[in-house]
Amino acid sequence: RVVRDAVVLTDRRRLDRILTNLLVNAHKHGRPPVEVTVEGPVVVIHDHGSGYPAELVEQGPQRFRTGDPGRGRGHGLGLTIAAGQAAVLDIALSFANAPDGGALTTLRLPVGRLPEGS
């Protein structure tokens, strides 16, 4: 759902990677519906599963640790890659649990202006 659009200056390829990783994670580990809301430079992804583990919300994603014993000791790299790519692009990325349940991921993209003649 697009509430309001905005012009952002970013690397489209890296942003695609971030969004893909976050959406795959929401579909794989959450439950439907997976909702994506765009409000200007802020993108929020909300699934309706059990939410993020407390450790992930407090410390952020870490390589090779999923924080969820039910998922095994696995490789939990999707969120770590998204966080790394976001840092490169100066995108603020936060992880929380929604009051009504489910994981809530928020991206705050840098706002910019296109050069004249673009």
Side-chain angles (χ1 to χ4, degrees):
R1 175 173 73 110
V2 177
V3 176
R4 175 175 58 90
D5 62 359
V7 173
V8 297
L9 299 177
T10 192
D11 179 329
R12 176 187 258 161
R13 182 181 53 83
R14 288 181 191 263
L15 181 58
D16 285 348
R17 178 72 183 258
I18 294 166
L19 291 171
T20 297
N21 284 4
L22 296 175
L23 290 168
V24 165
N25 189 75
H27 283 284
K28 184 175 181 181
H29 300 293
R31 279 192 302 226
V34 174
E35 301 167 339
V36 179
T37 304
V38 177
E39 188 161 355
V42 179
V43 179
V44 177
I45 300 169
H46 179 199
D47 71 48
H48 290 80
S50 58
Y52 287 121
E55 185 176 272
L56 188 143
V57 171
E58 293 166 9
Q59 300 174 9
Q62 297 176 19
R63 289 188 306 178
F64 305 114
R65 183 167 48 181
T66 65
D68 182 355
R71 295 181 188 169
R73 300 187 76 83
H75 290 286
L77 286 174
L79 296 180
T80 303
I81 291 168
Q85 294 292 311
V88 168
L89 297 178
D90 200 25
I91 295 173
L93 180 60
S94 62
F95 302 93
N97 290 317
D100 62 342
L104 198 61
T105 309
T106 304
L107 294 90
R108 295 182 192 283
L109 287 80
V111 178
R113 297 176 48 138
L114 292 174
E116 286 190 36
S118 296

